[in-house]
Amino acid sequence: MEYIEIAGAGKKVSRLIKGTDYFFHDTYEKAATNLDAFLAIGGNTVDTAHIYCGGQSEEVLGRYMKERGNRDQMVILTKGAHHDQNGPRVNADAIRSDLTDSLERLQTDHVELYALHRDDPNMPVAAILEALNEHIESGKIGAIGASNWTWQRLEEANAYAASHGLKGFTFSSPNLSLAKANEPFWAGCVSADAETLAWHEQSGLPLLSWSSQARGFFTGRFTPEVRDNADLVRVFYSDGNWERLRRAGELAESKKTTAIQIALAYVLNQSFPTCALIGAQNQAELLSCDEGSRITLTSEEIAWIDLASEVKPAGV
């Protein structure tokens, strides 16, 4: 397993990050088995959120760490201030309330990584950063980041932090995958486009990608005629993505691997630090992700599978 550094985290962060949005009390043993297997391949970073599974995701993770006695081995990424039925909640009171809940559920006094789950463009970055810095200073948060923020808002926030002696965002977590989203998964979600990638390359800010494997688009289970998954059809079905799938398969054949592993390698072979949030729920899926994380792609191969070049790389 490879790792990256995120300023403020205090620990190295595994390039594969274990998703937990299926952790429920009544399937605790499955969650614990999956976490044991993840740690066994060198993973150490787990992604959760205040809203996941109605709070059970964090509670199950907290129980697991207490029973295993392995909190010190873990890097926890949790998220808060998600909107509710009344609208955006990106404010000091919501951040404080959600963080307090999360720490109690996780049975810990701090998290290494804390991200705002959504943005509220009407809320000044000054108020947001001042609220987050309060919790950094108290030791409850190591590094702060933003999930589903545009690069423009990230840049604005970090410029404010730099000019006011505050800690800024040291990671971002949008969707990044080889398949390009036609539209957001849900309102307020952000997928990394070419401008976003160029900004990350220039700034060096680490990117932790959710839906890094495009929700199974590259597994081979889907074709233009298979339309039983409405969300996948809405978000990923396009001529460009079918061509990306075809090229990923062709490159995979030349490397004796699979298209979905090529898709994962695409995320992990960017020109700036990246991690991939993975949804593996069994040993076979986890091993596939582990193998995919070890694949090296050249810049020419990345450009070709991403349709940025028509020149087929040698050996394909």
Side-chain angles (χ1 to χ4, degrees):
M1 180 72 65
E2 293 183 344
Y3 307 86
I4 68 168
E5 299 286 340
I6 294 179
K11 298 176 184 175
K12 61 185 181 179
V13 175
S14 57
R15 307 234 18 229
L16 295 180
I17 298 178
K18 181 77 184 73
T20 67
D21 61 352
Y22 63 97
F23 281 17
F24 291 95
H25 293 303
D26 60 3
T27 54
Y28 173 77
E29 291 305 326
K30 175 182 178 180
T33 298
N34 287 177
L35 286 168
D36 286 342
F38 179 64
L39 292 175
I41 64 168
N44 72 342
T45 306
V46 181
D47 168 71
T48 185
H50 184 266
I51 67 165
Y52 284 175
C53 307
Q56 292 186 56
S57 171
E58 291 178 324
E59 290 171 348
V60 167
L61 180 55
R63 174 185 170 186
Y64 171 81
M65 292 187 296
K66 182 177 181 180
E67 289 187 357
R68 296 294 194 271
N70 62 2
R71 171 66 183 94
D72 290 346
Q73 300 174 35
M74 309 287 285
V75 173
I76 300 173
L77 162 60
T78 197
K79 303 179 290 293
H82 196 284
H83 57 251
D84 62 14
Q85 67 275 12
N86 298 315
R89 300 174 56 253
V90 187
N91 58 66
D93 289 343
I95 292 169
R96 182 179 299 106
S97 175
D98 287 4
L99 177 60
T100 299
D101 286 348
S102 292
L103 293 177
E104 182 177 346
R105 294 167 179 171
L106 291 162
Q107 302 187 53
T108 189
D109 61 0
H110 73 287
V111 291
E112 287 78 11
L113 306 171
Y114 192 79
L116 299 176
H117 211 156
R118 289 286 193 275
D119 189 15
D120 177 3
N122 294 316
M123 179 65 65
V125 295
I128 297 170
L129 285 170
E130 287 161 6
L132 288 169
N133 271 256
E134 172 189 331
H135 301 298
I136 294 175
E137 291 170 8
S138 72
K140 295 177 181 177
I141 294 174
I144 55 173
S147 182
N148 299 299
W149 277 44
T150 65
W151 69 265
Q152 293 93 338
R153 279 278 281 180
L154 290 166
E155 185 169 72
E156 179 188 0
N158 281 357
Y160 179 87
S163 63
H164 289 79
L166 297 172
K167 301 287 188 183
F169 293 128
T170 55
F171 68 95
S172 178
S173 185
N175 163 246
L176 170 62
S177 65
L178 178 57
K180 308 308 173 192
N182 302 320
E183 60 181 75
F185 286 84
W186 303 281
C189 286
V190 172
S191 290
D193 57 13
E195 276 193 5
T196 303
L197 297 184
W199 182 80
H200 275 275
E201 182 174 22
Q202 177 271 323
S203 67
L205 194 78
L207 187 156
L208 317 183
S209 169
W210 56 265
S211 283
S212 59
Q213 293 171 297
R215 292 179 164 250
F217 182 81
F218 294 91
T219 58
R221 296 197 301 266
F222 302 100
T223 67
E225 295 73 34
V226 176
R227 307 181 70 85
D228 56 349
N229 186 318
D231 281 336
L232 211 69
V233 171
R234 176 177 61 87
V235 177
F236 286 130
Y237 277 36
S238 69
D239 290 344
N241 284 336
W242 295 123
E243 177 62 12
R244 290 182 179 93
L245 173 58
R246 188 194 69 77
R247 293 189 185 192
E250 195 171 337
L251 182 59
E253 187 175 352
S254 72
K255 292 182 177 291
K256 296 180 172 56
T257 184
T258 64
I260 197 165
Q261 289 173 323
I262 292 294
L264 182 63
Y266 166 83
V267 171
L268 296 176
N269 279 269
Q270 296 295 317
S271 56
F272 51 86
T274 56
C275 296
L277 278 60
I278 58 170
Q281 296 190 33
N282 57 53
Q283 188 73 6
E285 291 174 351
L286 181 63
L287 292 179
S288 172
C289 291
D290 186 32
E291 292 168 1
S293 74
R294 301 172 190 276
I295 296 171
T296 298
L297 299 180
T298 66
S299 58
E300 291 78 14
E301 288 170 336
I302 288 175
W304 183 68
I305 60 172
D306 202 16
L307 311 188
S309 172
E310 291 301 319
V311 179
K312 185 180 293 189
V316 180

